[in-house]
Amino acid sequence: MTMAIGHWISGIARGACNLVRRMASETRGNVAMIFGLSMPVLVLMTVGGVDIHRASTVRVNLQDALDAATLAAARSPYSDDVNIQRVGLAALKANLKAYPNITLREADTTFVLNKSEIVVASSKVDVKTLVANIFLPPYGKFMDDYIQVGAHSEVNRATKDIEVSLVLDITGSMEGTRLSDLQEAANDLVDLVVQTNQSINKTRMALVPYSMGVNAGSYLNDVRGAARGATNITGAAWMVANSQKTITAMTKASPGVFTANSHGYSTGDFVWISGVTDGNNSGQADLASYLNGKSYKVVRIDNNTFSLQTLAGSAINTTGYQTYTASSGIARRCLVSTCEVVVTSNGHGLATGEDVRMLNVGGMTQLNTQNSVSPSGSTPFYQTVTKQTDSTFSINNMVGPVAAVSNYTSGGTVQCLEYGCANFLFTNNENNLRIFEASSCVSERVGSNAYTDAAPSTSKVAFSYVGTTNVGQGGCMTTTFTPLTTNRDTLHSRINAYKAEGGTAGQIGVGWGWYMVSPTFASIFPTESTPDPYGTPNLLKVVIIMTDGEFNAVYYNGVRARDSGAGGGSNDRWINHNSNNGSPFLQSVNMCNAMKAQNIIIYTVGFDISGTPDTTPGTVDTATEVMQACATSPDYVYLPQNGSSLKTAFAAIGRSISQLRISK
């Protein structure tokens, strides 16, 4: 700067010399006299402009330094004049070190906290003149050796509390330097927003990393409900123990009367008849074919005899059939009318028609199913049940005597395979059966509360069955969300542990961004992480949504739906059904609109996204359009193209959020 001024002064001097030579050649007396008198003034004014310009520059620098120092005093925990002055003055001195040839006038520098909680500051500095202190007879000095420059600043200390939810895309496309750039930018944002001193204002931040969903961590059961897990099997049979009786006689009558001494059956019991043989009575129907291999309802006659009915209630008529000639027939009392196998498992929680997986059953191994993602071999892939009692259920189509089941000995578990269970059976997009394990991720909330922040006790978010071949826990991303906290170290450590994985369910991230600052949904969190109510005076709620690509994961019953976008999966892992809520882009915008209705400020950051906005009114089908539609205003949209501009964008957002209002 000094060299530039020197060049400028030299130019002025050369011009002045040329002017002097021209004026000296002028012979008319009046002109020469006027020139002689005015020349020193012109020279002083010309060169003095250098110092005036410099003083103007210093005034701008002083204002910036004083504003920053006033902010520091306002952020301090002190309210007495001595400490307010001490903090402000120390900050101002530090800020002015960047500017040489400036002398702070400490006696003219004050920082005062008034009754309106406004820190009022004023300061003066001396700027050493470079050229304006020259001496020209007969006028003397044009200016003193120093020029005084002043500035004034006021900062409203009664600022807003801040709740910020940072929603970060950590999908597979963020692998490598993109993720490290994001981590650096996010860490810087934490330091800008979350203040180390929380005595004046609460400044809290939550983190919502997302990919194929959001990992709910220790809050999983609170937000989606506990998965129905396996229960222990303690017994299995199809017939009542010691109920087998030999049929010693049978009449030809309607109804036929069966003799089985001390049978112990009661009317309404069910029995399975087998082993009946008959004589060779010409012209009469086959009695064995008529009776064997079926279950019947018992009508007790006495302790030794009974008659039978079909399950529909029709009497068994034995007239017209061959004569029963030997004691070969056997009656066995069944546990249920169909004589299907009945399993005992206390508190099984199963409903009729539900599919189950049974494993490790001892003895009656016919109950066991495959323990695999996809079916193979002859072992059943699943079984279907009928509830009998809270402790028992029967296996559909597994008729004990027909299946020739073995006697149960010990052990075994039964696991339901419905939505809401720890395992889920579905038909994939290639029309093949699959069983996926419930992950610790969650998918979109469905139904009337899909786009609300209703408490999870009122409306649960959905399960996520993303398969076992993905990274993480049962296919879920490994990184969990972090509720609102004032702890910078916690936020930094969580951010630094992020790793890129999975597809992009941006709509789920957007929803959880809202949940983190919602006093309704987030009431499940500890007191220190519970958001303040909407409308709280001097409270600012902010959601920052970041993505690096198109949203490509929507769900039906917790499984990736067939109308998901390209990438992040395959037909083998997708359910053969369209999603519950439709387009992820529209889901996101619906959620953003609901947030903005609660006066939540939304910033959006589209990191190197390339989607071209659709000009069709009402259409939102790219991430770029989501970023534009979700943001509070166009000024809140950032579209950085590289790591450097990503950090710049986050820094700009941080300054915008954390800047205390400068009233003057």
Side-chain angles (χ1 to χ4, degrees):
M1 178 177 176
T2 303
M3 291 181 64
I5 292 173
H7 288 310
W8 185 67
I9 293 172
S10 298
I12 292 175
R14 286 193 298 271
C17 289
N18 291 334
L19 177 61
V20 169
R21 283 194 294 270
R22 290 197 303 271
M23 295 301 294
S25 64
E26 179 57 62
T27 58
R28 288 172 291 183
N30 289 342
V31 174
M33 182 182 297
I34 293 172
F35 172 73
L37 293 172
S38 62
M39 185 60 192
V41 177
L42 291 173
V43 171
L44 288 171
M45 291 179 64
T46 301
V47 296
V50 176
D51 285 315
I52 294 172
H53 177 270
R54 184 166 179 268
S56 178
T57 301
V58 169
R59 181 174 287 106
V60 173
N61 294 335
L62 174 61
Q63 188 67 57
D64 288 343
L66 186 63
D67 286 344
T70 312
L71 288 170
R75 288 194 180 108
S76 73
Y78 307 112
S79 57
D80 61 289
D81 291 342
V82 172
N83 281 306
I84 290 291
Q85 174 75 10
R86 177 179 59 80
V87 172
L89 186 59
L92 181 59
K93 287 180 178 179
N95 296 336
L96 289 177
K97 286 182 179 179
Y99 308 112
N101 300 320
I102 294 177
T103 303
L104 176 65
R105 299 173 67 94
E106 293 191 24
D108 295 324
T109 300
T110 59
F111 294 85
V112 178
L113 178 65
N114 67 19
K115 293 181 180 180
S116 299
E117 289 295 300
I118 296 175
V119 177
V120 180
S122 61
S123 180
K124 292 181 180 179
V125 296
D126 289 332
V127 184
K128 184 174 178 58
T129 56
L130 297 178
V131 294
N133 61 346
I134 62 176
F135 184 89
L136 287 178
Y139 302 99
K141 281 189 176 183
F142 184 66
M143 291 183 183
D144 293 332
D145 291 339
Y146 291 91
I147 302 173
Q148 284 188 18
V149 173
H152 181 84
S153 180
E154 295 184 12
V155 173
N156 188 344
R157 196 179 201 185
T159 56
K160 299 179 184 297
D161 292 339
I162 300 174
E163 296 172 0
V164 178
S165 178
L166 181 57
V167 182
L168 299 176
D169 180 341
I170 60 168
T171 53
S173 57
M174 288 293 294
E175 185 70 51
T177 57
R178 295 170 71 86
L179 180 61
S180 59
D181 288 336
L182 174 62
Q183 289 169 318
E184 183 176 345
N187 278 318
D188 289 344
L189 183 66
V190 168
D191 291 337
L192 283 169
V193 172
V194 181
Q195 300 301 309
T196 55
N197 176 22
Q198 297 283 328
S199 61
I200 298 175
N201 298 109
K202 288 189 298 183
T203 53
R204 297 183 290 171
M205 181 178 285
L207 302 174
V208 182
Y210 72 91
S211 59
M212 73 286 290
V214 169
N215 189 329
S218 61
Y219 297 98
L220 184 63
N221 290 346
D222 294 319
V223 299
R224 61 141 211 218
R228 293 165 57 193
T231 57
N232 293 324
I233 294 173
T234 58
W238 66 271
M239 60 174 281
V240 176
N242 302 316
S243 67
Q244 178 173 317
K245 301 298 178 180
T246 299
I247 300 172
T248 58
M250 186 187 308
T251 66
K252 283 188 165 188
S254 180
V257 176
F258 297 78
T259 300
N261 294 331
S262 302
H263 57 71
Y265 303 151
S266 301
T267 297
D269 286 345
F270 300 98
V271 295
W272 183 269
I273 302 298
S274 63
V276 171
T277 59
D278 51 36
N280 189 16
N281 302 85
S282 177
Q284 293 186 320
D286 185 352
L287 182 64
S289 298
Y290 176 49
L291 294 177
N292 286 333
K294 300 180 183 68
S295 59
Y296 301 91
K297 185 184 295 184
V298 171
V299 177
R300 185 178 188 275
I301 299 174
D302 57 35
N303 192 44
N304 297 318
T305 59
F306 57 87
S307 63
L308 298 175
Q309 296 177 347
T310 66
L311 298 182
S314 300
I316 297 300
N317 182 356
T318 55
T319 60
Y321 288 89
Q322 295 177 346
T323 303
Y324 181 66
T325 59
S327 299
S328 58
I330 295 174
R332 288 173 285 183
R333 181 184 165 194
C334 300
L335 293 171
V336 293
S337 63
T338 57
C339 296
E340 292 171 329
V341 172
V342 176
V343 177
T344 300
S345 181
N346 293 332
H348 57 75
L350 301 173
T352 295
E354 289 192 335
D355 300 321
V356 300
R357 164 179 278 171
M358 289 186 287
L359 302 172
N360 304 316
V361 177
M364 195 181 290
T365 57
Q366 294 85 354
L367 293 178
N368 287 324
T369 58
Q370 297 177 36
N371 185 18
S372 61
V373 172
S374 56
S376 62
S378 58
T379 301
F381 189 51
Y382 67 96
Q383 305 280 16
T384 305
V385 305
T386 296
K387 179 181 178 181
Q388 300 298 330
T389 70
D390 288 344
S391 298
T392 61
F393 57 89
S394 58
I395 308 299
N396 294 2
N397 302 316
M398 184 174 282
V399 178
V402 174
V405 295
S406 307
N407 291 328
Y408 172 83
T409 57
S410 63
T413 59
V414 57
Q415 170 64 64
C416 63
L417 299 176
E418 307 298 321
Y419 174 82
C421 297
N423 292 268
F424 181 44
L425 172 69
F426 66 96
T427 301
N428 71 4
N429 212 28
E430 296 173 344
N431 288 315
N432 296 317
L433 292 175
R434 294 290 181 267
I435 295 177
F436 281 177
E437 179 184 355
S439 74
S440 53
C441 276
V442 292
S443 57
E444 309 103 317
R445 181 149 58 181
V446 301
S448 60
N449 285 312
Y451 307 119
T452 75
D453 62 340
S457 58
T458 299
S459 180
K460 303 293 185 187
V461 300
F463 278 66
S464 176
Y465 301 95
V466 290
T468 56
T469 58
N470 252 9
V471 294
Q473 305 167 9
C476 176
M477 56 186 288
T478 55
T479 307
T480 62
F481 68 80
T482 305
L484 288 173
T485 180
T486 60
N487 192 317
R488 283 185 176 183
D489 291 339
T490 296
L491 294 168
H492 288 315
S493 64
R494 295 290 179 87
I495 291 170
N496 292 334
Y498 289 167
K499 62 180 181 179
E501 48 191 336
T504 309
Q507 75 283 4
I508 300 176
V510 171
W512 278 85
W514 183 8
Y515 299 158
M516 292 297 100
V517 296
S518 162
T520 306
F521 189 98
S523 60
I524 62 174
F525 300 144
T527 301
E528 62 272 16
S529 296
T530 302
D532 291 330
Y534 293 126
T536 299
N538 295 320
L539 173 65
L540 185 68
K541 290 181 182 281
V542 177
V543 174
I544 305 169
I545 302 167
M546 173 267 166
T547 185
D548 84 322
E550 301 303 331
F551 301 166
N552 59 14
V554 289
Y555 291 84
Y556 175 77
N557 282 355
V559 182
R560 189 84 168 268
R562 66 187 175 197
D563 54 340
S564 292
S570 66
N571 283 330
D572 181 67
R573 300 162 54 77
W574 297 7
I575 197 169
N576 190 14
H577 203 290
N578 285 339
S579 57
N580 295 95
N581 293 347
S583 162
F585 305 106
L586 288 176
Q587 288 187 54
S588 300
V589 173
N590 288 337
M591 195 70 76
C592 288
N593 289 338
M595 273 191 269
K596 287 186 281 191
Q598 295 290 355
N599 295 318
I600 296 173
I601 295 173
I602 303 178
Y603 294 85
T604 59
V605 181
F607 182 27
D608 195 23
I609 55 179
S610 57
T612 302
D614 193 336
T615 58
T616 305
T619 299
V620 180
D621 54 13
T622 67
T624 301
E625 291 175 292
V626 170
M627 297 296 98
Q628 294 170 335
C630 276
T632 293
S633 77
D635 292 337
Y636 289 69
V637 180
Y638 295 83
L639 301 174
Q641 297 299 307
N642 52 48
S644 176
S645 56
L646 176 68
K647 298 169 194 174
T648 300
F650 270 60
I653 293 171
R655 287 192 299 271
S656 175
I657 294 171
S658 64
Q659 180 74 30
L660 295 171
R661 181 170 65 87
I662 300 176
S663 57
K664 290 185 181 179

